[in-house]
Amino acid sequence: MDALNTTTQIKELMSTDVVSVQPETPLMDADAILRKHAFSGLPVVDGEGKLVGMFTEYDLSTKGSLLHLPTILKLFKEFAIYQKDQGLVWKDVSHMLAIKVEDIMNTMPFTVNQHISLKEVVKLFSER
């Protein structure tokens, strides 16, 4: 943070070329976007471009555990038992494949005004 003046307003650091997803985006598509851009999260916007949530790497883990949903789906595709008799797990896999961003996103993301200073943002985040 040495190169940044703590009075710098966040709008001076913000990107205007924002990559986002919509609530109905399939989980696997959102995961692919995260990986493609090496992001840890994506804003979720409605049809009018209004922020309605945040989708993050954390959301890809089942709540209360460290199971990563895209990894689980990939493993199912690799398991010999799945390949021999897909009926054994297909119902569960199809439920996972049907998950949309809106099913797991944070609907109350932490946001700040673009005119707030970097110093204030650091303070707010450290308090959270």
Side-chain angles (χ1 to χ4, degrees):
M1 204 162 74
D2 297 347
L4 295 175
N5 181 337
T6 55
T7 61
T8 300
Q9 290 185 346
I10 291 304
K11 72 178 180 178
E12 297 172 54
L13 304 172
M14 292 172 32
S15 172
T16 56
D17 187 23
V18 178
V19 177
S20 62
V21 293
Q22 294 191 321
E24 61 275 0
T25 302
L27 172 75
M28 297 306 288
D29 292 353
D31 177 56
I33 293 168
L34 284 178
R35 287 183 287 113
K36 176 183 176 184
H37 297 283
F39 293 156
S40 61
L42 292 165
V44 183
V45 298
D46 64 15
E48 298 171 5
K50 180 184 172 205
L51 181 69
V52 294
M54 278 298 290
F55 172 73
T56 67
E57 275 284 327
Y58 175 77
D59 298 322
L60 290 171
S61 298
T62 57
K63 304 298 183 194
S65 76
L66 296 178
L67 298 175
H68 188 253
L69 291 174
T71 302
I72 293 169
L73 289 171
K74 185 176 180 181
L75 289 173
F76 272 128
K77 291 178 182 177
E78 301 295 324
F79 283 148
I81 190 169
Y82 172 75
Q83 293 172 353
K84 290 179 185 174
D85 187 1
Q86 293 181 5
L88 291 175
V89 293
W90 180 246
K91 183 178 178 183
D92 291 332
V93 172
S94 64
H95 285 301
M96 284 189 270
L97 288 172
I99 296 173
K100 306 283 188 223
V101 168
E102 65 191 340
D103 298 324
I104 62 174
M105 70 182 187
N106 174 356
T107 58
M108 296 180 63
F110 179 66
T111 61
V112 295
N113 183 291
Q114 66 177 334
H115 300 290
I116 193 170
S117 73
L118 176 60
K119 181 178 181 177
E120 291 172 281
V121 170
V122 169
K123 181 179 183 290
L124 287 170
F125 271 90
S126 68
E127 292 171 350
R128 285 186 63 89

